[in-house]
Amino acid sequence: MKHSFTDRSCARVAGLGKGHLFPRLALASSAFLFVSCGSFELEQELVGTPAAESGGRAIALGKSLAAVGVGSGSVDSPFAVDVFERNRRGGWSFVQRLTASADDRGRFGTALALHGNTLVVGAPENDDSGTPEVETGYVAVFERGAGGFVRTHTVLPESFTLPPGETTPGEFSFGASVSLDEQHLAVGAKRFHGGRGRVFVFDRSDYSQQVELAEPAALERFDANFGDTVQLSHGTLLVTRPDTPANTPPPKNGKVYVYTSADGFATAEVLQSVTADGSFDGFGNAGTIFGGTIAVRDELGVQLFERSAGAWQPLAQIATGDGDRFSIALDAEHLFVGEPDATVAGLAGAGQVLVFDRSDVPPTLETTLRAPAPEAGLGFGEQVAVALRTLGVTTGDFEQAFVFRRN
């Protein structure tokens, strides 16, 4: 059964003109605010057969496919990825469960990416070294054929560079984030050498390593997690480096690095908060790119940048609240902002997703999506993913995944 989520009034948020700063203004939103600028329908909750524990650890969408990370890693509920396909009536059918090897405890399905008939699955906690605290990770590549998805490649770093004077990378977490475009696979290894982080780009023709990316040595910081998220968009690669308020030397503010395949990902344009002062600001907690627009979360909301005159320029700033990894998405028409900690109808942490219309600058709040049965601590909006007119949303308790369709 489809449930309609339609808002009944419009609210605008403060923005800045291109290249100009402006103060943040609170979003005029409440648990009962509805905005009639648009309408989304909840198509259904994605549940595999049989239903698995932790049925919403990650989500990825394609043209007519959805992939959901499931499983708790127990003997009875191993880590897996459930694949669904939209049928002609608009509903979703479970078609396949992809599993790792029986002894794999690498959190297979932590990160997912779909592009055409290719699905990549990150397993960042896999350990081949025999040392439990050293989590190396891997990425599995699946291709869809007549009989379903078949695993074709296991991707690992072919080479990497250690910091000066070091002899081991320590924990790695290769596969904590993954992304695909037409020609490349990008993989984040955010915990490389104590969280200094690395990103690896592979050629999709044979999944050979093309380049290893890192912050300049002078800027590397313990627990900075370069590669926390990665996203490709037609040859442009976005890499977040959110930093943490741990015992690291300044500057501690987050950064976003933007590379392009035009120069082989050799150089990066570095984006920082429009209010950066060197202190921890949460900038880069989550980031996404679509065409000529980048959206980045910080402690207080979302900052938008656009490509103009050969460089990325500040476009708008929206006060929405803090957000987690993968809690933001863009398409040609909308900005989707997951707020898993939001209070809904008096239920603390029930969560919601704010949907902004990008036809205006600053974007207009079009609608607010919530779980069909909100509960305290549900964390609806933990992850969001979008493809065409379809939105996927997971919950913070990692138990549910939903798909919405725009009318």
Side-chain angles (χ1 to χ4, degrees):
M1 177 179 179
K2 293 182 179 180
H3 301 264
S4 181
F5 291 73
T6 305
D7 286 353
R8 304 192 185 286
S9 64
C10 290
R12 292 181 179 270
V13 283
L16 52 87
K18 299 177 183 179
H20 297 282
L21 304 185
F22 68 98
R24 298 178 184 271
L25 295 182
L27 179 66
S29 174
S30 73
F32 300 99
L33 173 68
F34 293 101
V35 185
S36 65
C37 301
S39 178
F40 283 74
E41 286 185 340
L42 172 62
E43 289 191 315
Q44 68 187 68
E45 181 181 358
L46 298 179
V47 180
T49 305
E53 293 181 23
S54 302
R57 293 190 296 112
I59 189 167
L61 297 177
K63 183 176 180 181
S64 60
L65 295 170
V68 179
V70 302
S72 62
S74 67
V75 173
D76 295 332
S77 181
F79 295 123
V81 174
D82 285 351
V83 180
F84 302 82
E85 186 172 18
R86 176 182 274 123
N87 57 48
R88 293 180 179 179
R89 297 185 301 274
W92 291 81
S93 301
F94 170 74
V95 294
Q96 192 174 2
R97 177 164 290 171
L98 308 175
T99 58
S101 60
D103 60 349
D104 189 338
R105 294 292 179 266
R107 297 196 70 83
F108 177 87
T110 293
L112 302 169
L114 269 167
H115 192 283
N117 288 316
T118 303
L119 169 66
V120 294
V121 180
E125 295 183 17
N126 189 64
D127 175 26
D128 291 330
S129 69
T131 307
E133 66 273 14
V134 180
E135 297 163 343
T136 53
Y138 68 89
V139 169
V141 180
F142 294 83
E143 296 289 346
R144 191 186 193 194
F149 279 95
V150 176
R151 186 167 173 171
T152 59
H153 295 82
T154 298
V155 180
L156 295 166
E158 296 174 9
S159 63
F160 51 83
T161 305
L162 293 172
E166 301 295 338
T167 60
T168 174
E171 59 181 328
F172 219 108
S173 295
F174 180 85
S177 55
V178 294
S179 184
L180 288 167
D181 69 2
E182 295 82 356
Q183 296 180 312
H184 305 98
L185 162 66
V187 181
K190 66 176 185 174
R191 296 305 302 161
F192 181 92
H193 205 272
R196 288 166 175 81
R198 290 288 188 271
V199 171
F200 299 86
V201 181
F202 300 85
D203 186 330
R204 284 188 59 189
S205 65
D206 58 3
Y207 291 98
S208 59
Q209 183 173 317
Q210 184 174 353
V211 66
E212 172 195 10
L213 304 175
E215 285 197 283
L219 295 179
E220 283 192 330
R221 296 289 185 273
F222 175 77
D223 271 345
N225 294 328
F226 175 84
D228 188 58
T229 60
V230 296
Q231 190 168 355
L232 284 159
S233 178
H234 305 295
T236 300
L237 171 62
L238 176 146
V239 177
T240 66
R241 182 266 211 192
D243 210 341
T244 72
N247 295 324
T248 56
K252 299 168 66 66
N253 56 290
K255 297 179 177 64
V256 170
Y257 290 78
V258 188
Y259 303 83
T260 175
S261 62
D263 67 354
F265 305 100
T267 58
E269 185 173 351
V270 183
L271 307 184
Q272 298 187 66
S273 170
V274 295
T275 58
D277 60 4
S279 62
F280 175 75
D281 56 15
F283 184 80
N285 285 355
T288 188
I289 181 172
F290 184 88
T293 304
I294 285 175
V296 183
R297 298 203 73 159
D298 59 20
E299 285 189 301
L300 301 177
V302 177
Q303 297 183 31
L304 293 173
F305 300 81
E306 74 167 0
R307 188 74 174 168
S308 177
W312 291 95
Q313 304 289 346
L315 174 65
Q317 195 173 13
I318 306 169
T320 62
D322 198 2
D324 299 321
R325 303 173 67 222
F326 312 121
S327 63
I328 188 171
L330 282 168
D331 66 10
E333 298 176 329
H334 294 96
L335 164 68
F336 304 90
V337 181
E339 292 198 308
D341 296 329
T343 297
V344 174
L347 300 170
Q352 60 187 11
V353 175
L354 306 177
V355 183
F356 293 89
D357 183 346
R358 291 183 53 201
S359 62
D360 292 333
V361 179
T364 301
L365 180 63
E366 179 178 297
T367 193
T368 302
L369 307 179
R370 286 134 190 167
E375 299 176 11
L378 181 65
F380 180 83
E382 178 75 15
Q383 293 194 19
V384 295
V386 63
L388 301 176
R389 299 171 69 86
T390 303
L391 174 70
V393 183
T394 70
T395 61
D397 60 5
F398 303 116
E399 295 293 338
Q400 294 173 285
F402 301 93
V403 280
F404 294 79
R405 180 74 168 172
R406 189 182 182 205
N407 293 333

